[in-house]
Amino acid sequence: MFLLSKANGIIIFVLLCIVIVIISIFLFWPLISKAYKRKHFKKSVYNKIRSIADRYDFYLINNFPLLKNEEVIASIDHALYSNKYIYLIKSKYYKDVIAAHRDDKIWLQYDNKGNKEEITNPLLLNKLRCDTYCELRNSDRSFLVSIVVVNNDVKIKNLAELSSFNSYFAKEKDLKKLIKKIEKRNVSNFNETSLEKEVKSIAKEIGRIDYEDE
């Protein structure tokens, strides 16, 4: 009888531990999931851009430094070269809520506790990167498309109003659809040989042999 009672006690203890673990996972899963997504956000965006490059035979240069007099004056997360456009893409992970207007220099970021933080408008910053790219590469600005990619769970009331022609603010889940839509524009294609030569020239200048094509 004593052994049976002891065995029942062990079983109850084990079951209680399992219940506690399940409840803990249920309570803390949103925080665990959010931390995981934040940590792997840039990698996730890269994988999405890489899949676009692979599918449409675009060229891709990642972590692209813009050099002037052998000094880095800006850096581009991803430069995606299609047959029609050059996409300069910046990935940014934000907290719960963003209060933003397209032309404001400063945006406001709020966490779920209501704490406020000022952030510099990423659209304006990426526009500067595009302008710098054009200046250094002697490129036609009309061929460049600026895209700022943000995490899917950030809340932005006026998301659609933040984008303008060739300057876009998009959630990660919408990136493929956005680029596909832009590529449907009726504009002339780049010369394929010239494009390949340009990308290889850039890769050589920045000491990069890991640029990706096809």
Side-chain angles (χ1 to χ4, degrees), residues 77-156:
D77 287 353
H78 312 281
L80 183 66
Y81 296 81
S82 79
N83 299 324
K84 297 178 178 179
Y85 291 102
I86 301 169
Y87 299 89
L88 300 189
I89 303 171
K90 178 67 178 179
S91 57
K92 293 288 293 183
Y93 188 96
Y94 290 114
K95 295 176 184 177
D96 299 275
V97 179
I98 295 290
H101 293 281
R102 186 170 62 204
D103 299 322
D104 289 351
K105 292 183 178 179
I106 299 298
W107 291 1
L108 297 178
Q109 177 178 218
Y110 298 87
D111 62 18
N112 56 13
K113 295 180 180 179
N115 297 316
K116 179 174 67 175
E117 178 184 357
E118 291 187 350
I119 55 176
T120 304
N121 183 340
L123 291 170
L124 297 181
L125 290 177
N126 215 45
K127 178 181 180 297
L128 287 175
R129 294 185 188 98
C130 291
D131 293 342
T132 302
Y133 179 98
C134 288
E135 178 186 346
L136 296 177
R137 305 301 311 175
N138 194 26
S139 299
D140 188 331
R141 184 64 172 83
S142 65
F143 295 144
L144 266 70
V145 177
S146 169
I147 302 179
V148 176
V149 183
V150 298
N151 43 306
N152 294 327
D153 56 350
V154 66
K155 297 178 179 64
I156 307 172

Side-chain angles (χ1 to χ4, degrees), residues 22-125:
I22 292 174
I23 293 175
S24 298
I25 292 174
F26 178 79
L27 291 175
F28 292 102
W29 178 251
L31 293 176
I32 296 171
S33 176
K34 195 174 185 70
Y36 178 87
K37 289 178 181 178
R38 180 168 188 166
K39 181 178 180 181
H40 296 279
F41 172 68
K42 287 188 176 292
K43 179 67 174 178
S44 178
V45 173
Y46 161 74
N47 287 337
K48 190 148 291 184
I49 296 171
R50 175 62 192 271
S51 70
I52 295 171
D54 288 344
R55 180 174 180 180
Y56 298 104
D57 293 341
F58 293 167
Y59 294 100
L60 175 61
I61 298 179
N62 301 297
N63 302 318
F64 179 1
L66 296 177
L67 304 174
K68 187 173 185 178
N69 298 326
E70 298 184 353
E71 290 187 8
V72 177
I73 59 174
S75 182
I76 299 167
D77 287 353
H78 312 281
L80 183 66
Y81 296 81
S82 79
N83 299 324
K84 297 178 178 179
Y85 291 102
I86 301 169
Y87 299 89
L88 300 189
I89 303 171
K90 178 67 178 179
S91 57
K92 293 288 293 183
Y93 188 96
Y94 290 114
K95 295 176 184 177
D96 299 275
V97 179
I98 295 290
H101 293 281
R102 186 170 62 204
D103 299 322
D104 289 351
K105 292 183 178 179
I106 299 298
W107 291 1
L108 297 178
Q109 177 178 218
Y110 298 87
D111 62 18
N112 56 13
K113 295 180 180 179
N115 297 316
K116 179 174 67 175
E117 178 184 357
E118 291 187 350
I119 55 176
T120 304
N121 183 340
L123 291 170
L124 297 181
L125 290 177

